[in-house]
Each structure stands twice: as structure tokens, then as C-alpha cells.
């Protein structure tokens, strides 16, 4: 069914949940998991030390993907880590084609507020444009209360309308 | 290493389009390979046929009311046909499936059906709209990705 499963990661709790799902599927179908980290060039401007920022992103990527590979292998699943530089959704699609991925697994914050918009925009673009099927995994409420998203912030983002969410981040 | 699960249950949402056929084929292959069950669902949305605006109107004529009811019945009949076709397509691929006609906006009814019946995942097709088209027309796939509490696989 699936032979090559791509899981883009940004080190977030959402990506972690996606990895769990990917590893479980890979175990079922004896597939290889590819953990891809994209060093986002759109976040690095030339005047702010482009090379330094991209290099530090790449280091974070090496660590993040190494951890993912370790997690997968601990579950008895073959895994490959990769770090690429570029625009996240474009780079994810290119990589998917390169390794001939037959499934892309991504996390999403299916909640209201600013956070969903920020964390979900890459997933949304990949869902809309990928040729391969895209499996999206939503964080459960318990996961969201974890280390990545403080519960207070989460509640505020949920209670406030989109129009005021940006202004109330640091109430 | 064969660790095929046998207790997985999946839902595939269909609307009779080519994209939905591809999602169905994918879901059938997945359910068959995983040794799981598959339920094919189609949502009939009565609100779509209510032309009276967001609030129910009291002064709608009998004829108008009848027209709306007939449209809903048409949609139901069409929905049943879509489900039958899908079940046949799955059967041809070697998988016996359940079918279920749901009522309401698919973006709401499909996830609540999947969660309520403890399904492990939802499959849905996507027509590949541009960002602009999608903003205007909306997308069931996108809505499911945002709302569903269970994993959603979007198939192009």
C-alpha cells in the first residue's frame, strides 16, 4: 500500500503527532519513513545575516530529523532524515517527488485563532497542491496543552475572535 | 515484518466526482491492505435547498415549500445512487463496504459521524482548486482537515 511515507517536521507538537501516525502506518505496511526539515529561507532576510540564520536552521533540522529517525527505528521502522533549504511547501513537494513518496503526513492545529493560521498554513498549501495523498493529523486537546502551546495562550486564542487575537497575545 | 491490523475502521466521503472516485479507490486499497472495514458516506445538505436565506420564513407559499422538499428528495435519491455506485465500485475492487447517507453540511456531519462511531480515519477527494477558487467555493477536504478529530487523508 504505502512504501515511502514523508513526514515534514518543524519540531512542533503537531509534527510529532504526524510522526507517530506515520510510524504506525509504516509499521503496518513495512514502509520507509522520511523525516524532512525545511530550513525556511523566507524567515531569513539578507540584512539580518542570512547565512547565519539558515545555518542555524540547518543545525536545528539535523537534530530534529535525527530524533525522528531514532523514534521510528525504535518502533522497528526504517527511516531516513533529510534537511533542505527553501520555501517550506515548495520544498516539501519537491522532496516528495524526489523520493516518490506515496503519502505525506502532516500535523494541523484544527482550532480557531491565530495559532491555527500560523501552524497550519504550510499544511494547507501542501494539501491543496500535492499530487500524493496527504494525511493530516490534528493534535488532541491534551497534546495541545503540552510544552508547545501553553494552555492559557490556547484558551485566549480560542475565546478571542480572529480580529482581536493578534492584539491580545501578550495581554 | 507483517503487522497488519484487523480492527481498523475507515470512512470515505463521496460525492460522485472523479476526485471522490480516486479517494474511494485509495480508501478501498488502504482498508483491504490493513484488513480493516470501510464505510462510504454521502452528506445531503438540506440547507443548500433552502432558498429563503439564513432565517426560516413564515410567509413562504405552499408551492415554494413543496419545491424545496422535492429538491431535498431529489438530493436524497441522488445521494443513494452515489452510495450504490460507490459500493459497487468497491465491490469490484474486492471489498464489501457499508454505506450511510448523512444529513447536513459534510464538513460537520462527516467528522461527527466518524468520531461518534469511533472510526480511525477519514478519506476525501480534492479537486485541486486554486487558492482563489477555493476561497470562493470552499472545499470539503479543507473543512474536514480543519475540523475532524480523527486523521484525514486528502486524495487528489
Amino acid at each position: 500500500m504505502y512504501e515511502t511515507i514523508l513526514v515534514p517536521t518543524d519540531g512542533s507538537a503537531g509534527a510529532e503527532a504526524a510522526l507517530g501516525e506515520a510510524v504506525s502506518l509504516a509499521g503496518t505496511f513495512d514502509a520507509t519513513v522520511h523525516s524532512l526539515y525545511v530550513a525556511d529561507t523566507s524567515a531569513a532576510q539578507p540584512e539580518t545575516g542570512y547565512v547565519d540564520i539558515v545555518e542555524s536552521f540547518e543545525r536545528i533540522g539535523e537534530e530534529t530529523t535525527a530524533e525522528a529517525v531514532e523514534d521510528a527505528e525504535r518502533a522497528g521502522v526504517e527511516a531516513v532524515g533529510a534537511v533542505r533549504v527553501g520555501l517550506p511547501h515548495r520544498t516539501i513537494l519537491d522532496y516528495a517527488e524526489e523520493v516518490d513518496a506515496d503519502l505525506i503526513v502532516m500535523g494541523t492545529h484544527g482550532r480557531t485563532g491565530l495559532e491555527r493560521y500560523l501552524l497550519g498554513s504550510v499544511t494547507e498549501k501542501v494539501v491543496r497542491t500535492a499530487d500524493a495523498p496527504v494525511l493530516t493529523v490534528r493534535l488532541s486537546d491534551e497534546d495541545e496543552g503540552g510544552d508547545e502551546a501553553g494552555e492559557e495562550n490556547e484558551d485566549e486564542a480560542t475565546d478571542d475572535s480572529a480580529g482581536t487575537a493578534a492584539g491580545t497575545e501578550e495581554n | 515484518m507483517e503487522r497488519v491490523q484487523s480492527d481498523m475502521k475507515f470512512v470515505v466521503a463521496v460525492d460522485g466526482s472523479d476526485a471522490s472516485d480516486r479517494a474511494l479507490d485509495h480508501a478501498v486499497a488502504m482498508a483491504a491492505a490493513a484488513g480493516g472495514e470501510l464505510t462510504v458516506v454521502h452528506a445531503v445538505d438540506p440547507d443548500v435547498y433552502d432558498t429563503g436565506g439564513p432565517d426560516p420564513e413564515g410567509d413562504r407559499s405552499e408551492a415554494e415549500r413543496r419545491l424545496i422538499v422535492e429538491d431535498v428528495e431529489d438530493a436524497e435519491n441522488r445521494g443513494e445512487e452515489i452510495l450504490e455506485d460507490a459500493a459497487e465500485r468497491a465491490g469490484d475492487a474486492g471489498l464489501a463496504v457499508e454505506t450511510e447517507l448523512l444529513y447536513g453540511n459534510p464538513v460537520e456531519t462527516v467528522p461527527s459521524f466518524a468520531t461518534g462511531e469511533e472510526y480511525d480515519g477519514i478519506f476525501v477527494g480534492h479537486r485541486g482548486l486554486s487558492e482563489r477558487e477555493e476561497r470562493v467555493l470552499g472545499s470539503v477536504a479543507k473543512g474536514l482537515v480543519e475540523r475532524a478529530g480523527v486523521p484525514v487523508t486528502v486524495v487528489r
Side-chain angles (χ1 to χ4, degrees):
Chain A
M1 183 66 205
Y2 299 127
E3 286 174 12
T4 307
I5 300 176
L6 171 59
V7 197
T9 181
D10 57 4
S12 69
E16 193 109 332
L19 177 68
E21 185 72 22
V23 166
S24 155
L25 275 172
T28 302
F29 296 114
D30 207 5
T32 302
V33 167
H34 286 249
S35 171
L36 171 69
Y37 181 97
V38 181
D40 185 356
T41 48
S42 68
Q45 303 300 324
E47 63 269 26
T48 55
Y50 181 89
V51 174
D52 288 350
I53 289 173
V54 169
E55 273 177 7
S56 75
F57 277 157
E58 283 182 298
R59 267 196 304 279
I60 293 167
E62 297 292 350
E63 282 167 28
T64 309
T65 54
E67 275 169 32
V69 167
E70 222 172 274
D71 283 353
E73 285 175 346
R74 212 175 298 127
V77 165
E78 207 177 300
V80 176
V83 178
R84 293 291 155 90
V85 178
L87 295 174
H89 78 277
R90 193 62 253 170
T91 309
I92 290 165
L93 295 181
D94 288 347
Y95 186 88
E97 242 173 73
E98 183 187 320
V99 300
D100 202 13
D102 36 28
L103 185 71
I104 304 172
V105 185
M106 297 186 74
T108 173
H109 280 236
R111 307 257 301 225
T112 51
L114 185 66
E115 190 158 272
R116 182 188 87 193
Y117 174 73
L118 292 175
L119 291 169
S121 60
V122 174
T123 298
E124 194 195 310
K125 283 195 186 107
V126 172
V127 166
R128 199 172 47 236
T129 49
D131 286 330
V134 183
L135 169 54
T136 57
V137 182
R138 207 183 95 171
L139 276 181
S140 68
D141 289 350
E142 301 103 77
D143 290 337
E144 278 188 280
D147 49 55
E148 289 299 325
E151 253 172 87
E152 279 172 36
N153 284 338
E154 198 54 42
D155 287 344
E156 273 178 24
T158 307
D159 291 341
D160 288 317
S161 72
T164 59
T168 57
E169 219 184 344
E170 287 300 327
N171 250 359
Chain B
M1 187 187 59
E2 280 296 299
R3 280 199 284 132
V4 171
Q5 289 138 300
S6 57
D7 55 349
M8 303 288 274
K9 308 200 301 178
F10 302 102
V11 177
V12 57
V14 299
D15 64 1
S17 66
D18 289 347
S20 130
D21 279 349
R22 284 190 293 274
L24 174 64
D25 292 347
H26 192 84
V28 165
M30 170 71 184
E37 290 170 26
L38 181 64
T39 303
V40 183
V41 303
H42 174 78
V44 174
D45 191 350
D47 289 346
V48 171
Y49 302 96
D50 184 346
T51 51
D55 296 310
E57 280 176 32
D59 61 349
R60 188 176 282 147
S61 76
E62 196 61 35
E64 276 175 323
R65 234 173 278 147
R66 213 165 35 234
L67 191 68
I68 290 164
V69 169
E70 278 170 9
D71 279 347
V72 173
E73 276 174 10
D74 282 349
E76 267 181 357
N77 291 337
R78 193 175 158 268
E80 294 287 2
E81 274 171 32
I82 288 169
L83 288 176
E84 274 170 38
D85 289 349
E88 203 182 309
R89 193 179 171 96
D92 288 346
L95 189 76
V97 296
E98 301 277 319
T99 61
E100 190 83 37
L101 196 62
L102 305 176
Y103 292 86
N105 184 340
V107 166
E108 283 156 20
T109 58
V110 175
S112 73
F113 174 77
T115 305
E117 305 286 324
E118 296 185 344
Y119 281 87
D120 298 292
I122 299 170
F123 291 82
V124 64
H126 189 277
R127 268 168 234 167
L129 304 173
S130 73
E131 192 167 1
R132 193 176 150 273
E133 284 171 318
E134 197 167 272
R135 218 178 294 134
V136 176
L137 299 173
S139 152
V140 172
K142 192 179 154 204
L144 291 180
V145 164
E146 282 171 2
R147 282 181 182 246
V150 300
V152 177
T153 303
V154 179
V155 182
R156 173 68 42 85

